[in-house]
Amino acid sequence: MQLAHVDSGRSVGPRTIERHAATRSDAATRIAATTESQASDAARHARSARTAPMRGGLRSFDIQLNQRIAAVQRTVEFLERADAQLQSIRTALAAHIGPGRAEPASDIIAELSYKIHQFESLWRERVAATGGALDSQLDQVEPGEAQLRFKVRGLTIDTLANGEPETLYLAVGGRTQHAVAVVIEPGLDATAIAQRFDRALAPSGVRVSRDRHGELVFSVRETDWANTRDILAIKGDGRRFPTGQFAIPRIVPEEPLVRPDLWTVDSPMARRATLQQVIDAQEAVRHARQLALEMLSDEGHRLQTADATACAQEGKWCEDFVRTFATTAGRRDYRTLAALSSAVHGIHRDRVRALLLRM
């Protein structure tokens, strides 16, 4: 696995970056300011030197970018493994399905079951294997942001938009002492209701929106799903939730796009149904992989374009700096010599050659 390329031969930290920029900027400033009668063009070049662009390696030192590209690369690798296992299951099933085919022997059934179990184990690793960048619908998201969507029984637009006013209290993670309040009033439309729930629950990591049918849909990071699923408590004023006490409602999670836990091979009908589900899953996996590859290609093109632009800017800066340096060095007065000697002190020919080779 490779991360976004960083063109640097040694470790670079914030202090190194600051020290490098400060040294070059200070040297350029001292050289450009050796005499008050310096020409205006030299002053302009000195100002340009003080805002010199970073080297390519430092410029591409983008932690978020590297994390995003690494997550997409891991997603591609995971989907390739999934595709290979799905193809193996598909081939094995197809060999024993069709008119005139005899019932498979028990060892063949056991082998088919093992292949499905193996894929199911792989699929359970999806969040960890992709860095949380591939959700249960095979949509690619920012690393660690894979969401699981669910609905809460009793919290529908119909029940909330109609009836008497009521204040609902919702507690996430069993923290009833930190429950948040959502006021439901007559006349609220579906969008306003969703926004009120979202504002109240967002600090707890739960977001609320509307699905394509207009109903409330809740979402939470997949890594937080276990806590939310078991310990989302709701209390009302005794209207929509009659007890008036905190109760855990029924939560209905969104169906994952791929469900290997439902695949069976115990009968001809079950094998045919499983084969169709495997085919559908493989198509979805291949589509997601293609999207991931396109994303990597787009990132690579964007980096190349940005690097070409930055290199052109850096080349211009180098030309300006050399012109400023030559103009200042030609003055031959004491202040100029003092500035030059301090700027180039300790720099030998071999060190300059080594630096140029690394550029």
Side-chain angles (χ1 to χ4, degrees):
M1 182 184 300
Q2 296 180 347
L3 299 180
H5 178 64
V6 178
D7 181 20
S8 179
R10 59 181 177 179
S11 59
V12 178
R15 293 184 179 178
T16 306
I17 297 174
E18 294 171 1
R19 185 166 57 251
H20 174 73
T23 301
R24 184 165 61 179
S25 177
D26 291 345
T29 304
R30 288 197 303 270
I31 293 171
T34 54
T35 176
E36 295 179 358
S37 62
Q38 183 175 348
S40 60
D41 62 336
R44 176 171 54 82
H45 294 320
R47 287 193 298 271
S48 176
R50 285 196 295 270
T51 58
M54 289 288 189
R55 288 291 308 146
L58 302 181
R59 191 172 54 246
S60 60
F61 187 72
D62 186 335
I63 294 178
Q64 291 184 342
L65 173 63
N66 282 323
Q67 289 177 339
R68 185 166 63 252
I69 292 179
V72 177
Q73 290 173 328
R74 292 172 63 182
T75 297
V76 171
E77 293 177 0
F78 172 78
L79 292 172
E80 287 176 345
R81 292 168 57 197
D83 183 29
Q85 291 193 19
L86 286 170
Q87 183 60 47
S88 177
I89 298 172
R90 180 175 178 175
T91 301
L93 282 171
H96 301 284
I97 293 177
R101 299 293 178 92
E103 181 70 13
S106 58
D107 59 335
I108 294 178
I109 295 296
E111 182 181 358
L112 289 172
S113 298
Y114 174 75
K115 288 180 179 292
I116 292 174
H117 176 73
Q118 190 178 32
F119 176 77
E120 185 180 356
S121 297
L122 171 67
W123 205 248
R124 283 198 297 265
E125 299 173 2
R126 172 179 50 81
V127 176
T130 63
L134 186 72
D135 67 15
S136 64
Q137 303 303 307
L138 298 190
D139 291 328
Q140 295 174 60
V141 296
E142 288 294 318
E145 294 298 325
Q147 302 283 312
L148 194 147
R149 290 168 283 273
F150 60 94
K151 293 183 178 180
V152 179
R153 186 63 58 87
L155 294 182
T156 65
I157 293 298
D158 183 60
T159 59
L160 295 171
N162 299 302
E164 300 179 8
E166 185 174 15
T167 299
L168 300 179
Y169 298 90
L170 296 92
V172 178
R175 299 184 297 271
T176 56
Q177 68 274 21
H178 299 298
V180 294
V182 178
V183 178
I184 302 300
E185 302 166 341
L188 288 177
D189 60 19
T191 299
I193 292 174
Q195 289 175 345
R196 290 195 177 188
F197 276 95
D198 186 58
R199 283 195 298 267
L201 291 173
S204 300
V206 179
R207 305 309 302 263
V208 184
S209 59
R210 296 171 61 197
D211 64 10
R212 58 192 178 91
H213 302 295
E215 286 296 335
L216 292 182
V217 58
F218 298 73
S219 62
V220 66
R221 287 184 182 180
E222 289 196 62
T223 51
D224 299 332
W225 166 242
N227 292 334
T228 305
R229 178 187 59 189
D230 296 331
I231 324 177
L232 176 63
I234 302 178
K235 181 180 74 169
D237 296 332
R239 296 179 177 86
R240 293 171 179 82
F241 293 87
T243 65
Q245 303 294 324
F246 276 106
I248 299 178
R250 182 181 176 187
I251 291 179
V252 182
E254 182 180 40
E255 287 288 335
L257 194 61
V258 179
R259 292 291 305 273
D261 56 309
L262 300 180
W263 300 349
T264 60
V265 293
D266 298 332
S267 67
M269 183 177 297
R271 289 192 289 273
R272 282 192 293 270
T274 296
L275 176 60
Q276 185 58 55
Q277 292 171 358
V278 169
I279 293 173
D280 293 342
Q282 189 174 33
E283 290 178 355
V285 164
R286 288 180 174 178
H287 178 68
R289 177 181 175 275
Q290 182 61 35
L291 291 179
L293 290 173
E294 291 175 1
M295 186 181 299
L296 284 177
S297 178
D298 291 342
E299 289 286 2
H301 178 72
R302 187 180 67 81
L303 286 173
Q304 288 178 353
T305 302
D307 192 59
T309 302
C311 286
Q313 293 174 348
E314 188 165 295
K316 180 64 168 56
W317 174 86
C318 290
E319 292 177 1
D320 292 345
F321 182 82
V322 169
R323 189 179 300 112
T324 301
F325 192 96
T327 300
T328 306
R331 299 188 179 279
R332 301 179 181 279
D333 57 73
Y334 176 79
R335 293 180 63 186
T336 299
L337 292 175
L340 290 177
S341 62
S342 62
V344 302
H345 178 71
I347 301 180
H348 302 290
R349 184 170 181 271
D350 292 340
R351 298 178 67 181
V352 174
R353 284 176 57 86
L355 177 62
L356 292 175
L357 289 174
R358 292 178 62 177
M359 295 173 66

